[in-house]
């Protein structure tokens, strides 16, 4: 039964049917009727089987149970009773598919497969009879997956500042205690590594070339090696993620609809821009070709039109709901793009991007600072993600300087705002401890690097002991941070093999499956009260016992009718 | 009785009194006492008549009924019982006035009449006895009208992005199935036509004179003819609306309290400014006289003090509640005024207006972008009204250029923000389809024109193929839009005669009259539950069967009557 | 019993024990057990004593009453019944401490004493047995005090635009009808006097020295005398408040956690800066030493890190909750600090402060203008506190001018925004009447003075009749205002002796003590309704009278059990 909600492909039925038939071939199967064949319909509210059970049990207790079932939301009811006898594995998937053999286990992940792949697989099925059922099945299943998970679901089912942990009462579509395929565990946040390394390459380039920092005598070789490392990382991450897109497009879709992760879709392009900006002199011509800018800014711009449009035109993804510190990532692209525009000689395009960035930075800044209670994605406590706050004003400052050619009041104001926010976070350093390392942390290093870069520019403009010292110490801090993360990542990747845990956030169910949420709790209370009422009645007037039961059932009906 | 809430003038009583007297001259009239003479008092919560009824019926049923009546809100109770026997027309007006003769029908609209007019009319009444009653009546009635409709009512009773459609469950004060007097159907939004034409005149003037667009060889005659057309339109709209002010001042008041329409009160003055700015050279001196600026900016400034004060000092019209895209109209006046200030040579005044505009633009922009859930006026979906978003930054850009004399970073940033928002809306063009044409659409053309103007300025500053092409295409788009609207307007006006439908938005009742809203639904549920309880009881205690049935049925009736 | 919530020190028990023992030494004392020794535990929800009473009374009525008590919140229940027999004074303190002798009365205020003082006092207690109990007691008590009052409590318990009035249903920790020790009645708002006088000194200095105002021939003596007066006032207020810090540190803590008062903690430093900026020429060297700047800005900066961090990192003190017009005080410090930075020759530091101020001004301005419904501190109506809106843009304008050396577009924009807000408030002058004078009013004068100063700068830049006239009239207005306040203050201080009323705002209890809040009212209503239902039933079925009563009581239990 429960597989109805987890396995839309024909693959499963090879396993499911026997299980069901063996379990209660004669008795329940006949009652449950077409359930296994119509998972979506069932989920949509097919009440037939339940009514049948009501008849067969025929007691007030059953009525009460029914009541609860119905209230549990779609598909929740059967998960509770049905699998009790069926699921032997006790896994979060709740049932059959998991309990089966290796084939079925592999099939579980296919719900996140790219559609075309599934169809191809299906066509290779040997069992003629099953494969006849498949096209219909697959379509239904795919439709279910293709409907994007609504924004509210992510907030309801996930928690943590990166919305990467599943709430306790939530079920997920994939088995929690197995290691999923590597590609499914490879999050978009990995591009953060490229952001971190790319910005470091720029930083060391600036340290080597900036007149203000010439007293350090930094060799340009560091820049070169970091740049090559960043390039290699970008290529490998891109290839891996491209594979994910190719094979598990549904998982990518789910990352795209994730309110925090969506902002990381800007990361690949920003990382590319970082590489283009920080390219060592021996590789890059005097001036980059504008085509580079076009190629890198186009996807950012299109994504912005989409994301900002969602904020702006309302709906469930309006800014006051989805706004969170990682939204800065979707703004910072403008400023990085503006810097690149200046590098390719298109100042006007840079000014355009800068203005767009400014407008949205303003909105995001004010919204995040206000911490509206409607913003469901804002973490309760401070977290590395807050470092994003530093990135945007730093980038805005550098961009202004690069486009307009002077570190004037505007650039300075943005820089000082970044500096203040930096200080504001540093003094709260204690709050940043105690968080589990994740790949996304890399994204939180590039703001530090950007702030260091802005400080170097400032030190060029105002060359004094304090500014140079600040530039040096900030650069060291960011480099240290990147080094620490690099080592951590290596340790997690190769020693502890824990760099890519199961990516639970993408496997949440589309609808709530149990009674954890408040609303249903409220309803439950009512029921408890009602049953209590019935008992009261029973005690008081023994004669009316029967009638009261009848009544209570009609009352139940009533409350349903609501 | 119901007329108490719809006809405050003596006119009605010519019809009402006989009806009431014939109906229950001896019985109820004596009990109800002064009810017909004091509709407002009754509505305000005079409970005497109800208490009388309680006494006369003298049963628990009555008490229960009373209880409900009281809960139904003011005035709801009598509407239920009184008109049942009286209203013969069944019109939304719900009663007597409509069911009467032509005189009474004409009288219906008089609730929106200017007070003085009503008094004059009343003084001409032949019936001495009635006219003795009138002064008191009229005053009471006028007081009722003079109390402005609360802001919340508009949101509760109306819907649509322009808040121009009445919700299904709402009653309105005027008959829905009749064509109302022309002046009552003439909305303030008609000044949008002047905005559209006036800005077009400026655009074609700029196309003719701008060095960047000289390759088009646009004749200044287009400017002239458009300007004359705009002038003619402004004069005729102004005269018509002045008539509305004179004869139906109460309707104007209601438009003023309408959360969307109030912003259109800026339109006449902005339209005048457009004409002053876009005046063809042969009409206008080298430099306009500052008096022009003073005359046009004064009302805008006073209105701003009022409107911004409402946002700022809280209450029901605070910005987070009433903020909607048309709020941009109340900000754009500052920038247009700043442009005009530069034209008359008062740069400092222009800078003042620009700063005021900037501060409020910032607030409005952030507020609208956040789409706070408290904002009741924001349309769920995109709509032409969203084009307003383009108007303000475009105007700010032009204004900065005009005042400070250079298209520098500030002007450019504003221009680019406008451009981005323009693109952002254009790519969502599909969302703009499927809306019923209304006169207000005209107001949505002037942002396009303003953006075109800003682009022409930009093309002057950065003369390249792209900027000139953009200027040309945007100009063509806006001109096409205006032409399409012009033809539509003519068709609606003269062919389909549907340009001015009944302006339902101004005729909403001041208080909710029926159970459509949620809160009362909740009450209904309670009632249902109560009757249910009673039934249960009835079964159990056979002795009280009859009484409980009586009660429950009366409860049912009650809940039906709602 | 009630002392449990008001007297954490051992001092009390000297008085309390006898009272308790004399009152019902044998009966209740044995039942109540350890209550007097565990005030905090009791408050935390120790239900034992109540259950005991239930047993001892043993009737349904008692159950009902008990039940209600429990619902009333913590500590409310015992206040109602316990003190009925104990409290003889009927004071708001509700009990024992107040009813005692002079020693106990003095002891009441010690809950706001600095911890060390209390311990010292305790150590001097003669009674050995009691003093053995003290250390534990004191710790518990101090912990209770040391836990800061949660932000929500201030909003729940206080009202008025300055959150200085206690809501009717709230109890306070100190006796309302006594005059408290002077230091407890000396609010942080007194530094507003220094702000007002200090800014006046600067204003008269500017009037004397500005070339634009030279036609007035103002003598620098006025500046000198005002400055000396301001200095004297600052010294005396500082000394007094330092005493408060020393002796009643807990009261200072409570002012610090007060959502409005916390902003006034910026006032002492801003007042000092005013004195430094406005120092007469004969006292001040050409250029102040940077150490002055460091000493005065450091506390402001640290406080900002704290306050802005609270806004930003969420929790109960997020901006959208605590934002109120006096938040401007926490922003204006940046701009005043920037001015001072320019005076000491540290332009870069000034630019830093200016940028920080800008970012937060933006956020505060937008937030306050939106008037989010979540903002609990915003007054419903206009109030002198709104003049704060003028202070920040004026100061920003002057600061920009001082740092960057020219009254350019930025300075002018800020100045004009301030001017518009000024006009906007002046036309609403009627709203400002009818408020009780308080010392905090002084803080509302310095915005007017700052606006005058900005106008003088503007008049220097644009010397014309209008600007000079404006500067003159604004200066006169602000001076008049300060004079009026000065006289009022003197009258209140020396004639009416009402300058420092009991500072109720700091004496609120940490938790709600009775049923005033809505939620519990709702519950109460339900109960009333239920009893009503029961009565109805009772009439109808006389046979089931007893059982229905039993039932109703159990039903009550039920609804409580929820």
């Amino acid at each position: 039964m429960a597989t109805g909600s987890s396995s839309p492909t024909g693959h499963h039925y090879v396993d499911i049917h026997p299980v069901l038939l063996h379990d209660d071939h004669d008795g329940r199967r006949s009652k449950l009727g077409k359930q296994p064949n119509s998972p979506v319909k069932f989920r949509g509210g097919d009440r037939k089987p339940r009514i049948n059970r009501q008849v067969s049990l025929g007691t007030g207790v059953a009525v009460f149970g029914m009541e609860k079932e119905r209230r549990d939301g779609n598909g929740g009811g059967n998960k509770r009773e049905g699998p009790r006898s069926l699921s032997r594995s006790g896994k979060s998937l709740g049932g059959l598919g998991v309990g089966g053999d290796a084939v079925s286990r592999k099939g579980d992940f296919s719900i996140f497969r790219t559609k075309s792949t599934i169809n191809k697989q299906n066509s290779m099925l040997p069992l003629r009879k099953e494969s006849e059922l498949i096209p219909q099945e697959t379509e239904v299943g795919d439709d279910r997956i293709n409907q994007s998970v609504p924004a509210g679901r992510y907030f309801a089912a996930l928690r943590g500042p990166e919305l990467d942990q599943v709430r306790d009462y939530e079920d997920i579509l994939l088995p929690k205690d197995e290691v999923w395929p590597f590609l499914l565990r490879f999050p978009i946040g990995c591009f953060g590594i490229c952001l971190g390394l790319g910005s470091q390459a720029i930083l060391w380039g600036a340290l080597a070339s900036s007149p203000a920092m010439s007293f350090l005598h930094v060799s340009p070789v560091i820049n070169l090696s970091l740049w090559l490392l960043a390039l290699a990382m970008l290529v490998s991450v891109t290839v891996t993620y491209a594979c994910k897109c190719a094979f598990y497009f549904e998982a990518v879709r789910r990352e795209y609809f994730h309110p925090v992760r969506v902002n990381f879709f800007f990361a690949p392009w920003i990382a590319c821009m970082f590489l283009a900006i920080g390219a060592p002199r021996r590789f890059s011509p005097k001036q980059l070709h504008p085509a580079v800018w076009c190629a890198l800014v186009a996807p950012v711009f299109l994504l912005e039109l989409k994301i900002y449009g969602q904020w702006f035109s309302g709906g469930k993804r309006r800014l006051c709901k989805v706004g969170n510190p990682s939204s800065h990532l979707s703004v910072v692209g403008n400023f990085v793009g503006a810097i690149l525009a200046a590098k390719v000689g298109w100042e006007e395009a840079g000014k355009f991007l800068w203005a767009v960035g400014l407008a949205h930075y303003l909105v995001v800044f004010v919204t995040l600072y206000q911490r509206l209670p409607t913003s469901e994605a804002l973490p309760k406590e401070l977290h590395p993600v807050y470092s994003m706050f530093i990135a945007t004003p730093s980038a805005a400052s550098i961009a202004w300087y690069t486009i307009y050619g002077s570190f004037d009041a505007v650039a300075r104001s943005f820089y000082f705002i970044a500096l203040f926010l930096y200080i504001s976070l540093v003094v709260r350093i204690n709050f940043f401890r105690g968080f589990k390392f994740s790949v996304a942390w890399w994204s939180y290093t590039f703001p530090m690097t950007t702030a260091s870069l802005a400080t170097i520019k400032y030190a060029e403009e105002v060359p004094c002991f304090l500014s140079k010292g600040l530039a040096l110490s900030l650069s060291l801090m960011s480099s240290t941070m990147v080094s620490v993360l690099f080592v951590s990542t290596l340790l997690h990747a190769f020693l502890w093999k824990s760099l890519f845990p199961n990516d639970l956030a993408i496997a949440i169910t589309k609808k709530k499956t149990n009674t954890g949420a408040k609303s249903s709790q409220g309803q439950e209370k009512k029921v408890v009260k009602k049953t209590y009422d019935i008992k009261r009645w029973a005690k008081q007037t023994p004669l009316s016992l029967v009638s009261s039961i009848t009544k209570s059932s009609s009352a139940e009906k009533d409350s349903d009718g609501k």
Side-chain angles (χ1 to χ4, degrees), chain A residues 195-419:
Chain A
L195 285 181
L197 291 177
S199 58
Q200 274 296 310
I202 302 177
L203 175 66
W204 285 94
L207 284 176
S209 64
S210 167
M213 308 309 282
S214 57
F215 67 94
L216 287 174
H217 304 295
V218 174
S219 154
V221 176
I222 306 180
N223 171 24
L224 178 60
S225 51
L226 271 171
W227 192 81
L228 287 174
L229 181 64
L231 183 65
M233 191 55 94
L234 182 60
V235 168
S236 57
V237 170
T238 306
V239 167
T240 317
Y241 205 78
C243 289
K244 188 175 178 181
C245 287
F247 295 114
Y248 292 99
F249 188 68
E250 300 310 329
V252 175
R253 275 172 58 87
R254 272 164 171 262
E255 287 199 289
Y256 177 73
F257 288 115
H258 189 288
V260 171
R261 298 260 176 104
V262 64
N263 297 302
F264 284 89
F265 278 82
F266 287 97
W269 320 106
I270 298 175
C272 289
M273 288 187 209
F274 277 160
L275 286 185
I277 293 167
R281 280 188 191 172
R282 67 181 71 176
F283 290 129
S284 66
K286 263 258 149 169
Q287 197 170 325
L288 287 169
H289 193 270
V292 176
W293 183 83
C294 293
L296 295 178
V297 164
V300 169
F301 189 72
L302 292 176
L303 213 49
E304 270 172 7
L305 279 178
K306 181 78 190 162
I307 305 288
Y308 297 167
Q310 282 177 350
W311 292 353
F312 166 80
S313 56
K316 289 288 177 197
R317 291 170 194 282
R318 49 172 69 177
L319 184 60
C320 69
K321 294 223 167 178
V322 298
N324 68 76
S326 70
S327 301
H328 279 292
L329 255 183
S330 60
V331 175
V332 86
N334 291 300
F335 295 119
V336 180
I339 298 170
L340 188 63
K343 295 262 173 194
V344 304
W346 281 13
E347 267 87 11
E348 287 304 310
K351 289 172 187 174
F352 174 77
L353 282 182
W354 198 89
V356 173
L358 174 70
H360 292 91
Y361 175 57
L362 213 90
V363 176
V364 169
F365 182 72
V366 172
T367 306
L368 293 181
Y369 227 107
Q370 286 183 328
R371 293 188 66 106
L372 301 168
T374 53
S375 179
E376 303 178 66
L378 275 180
K380 284 270 156 52
E381 276 140 37
L382 279 170
H383 181 268
V385 76
Y386 269 88
S387 71
M388 292 283 185
F389 269 89
I390 311 168
T392 327
S394 307
S397 168
I398 302 171
W400 181 273
Y401 170 75
T402 323
I403 305 167
Y404 288 95
S406 77
F407 207 85
D408 61 358
V410 177
R412 221 163 271 208
S413 293
F414 275 104
Y415 167 64
F416 285 137
I417 291 171
L419 194 63

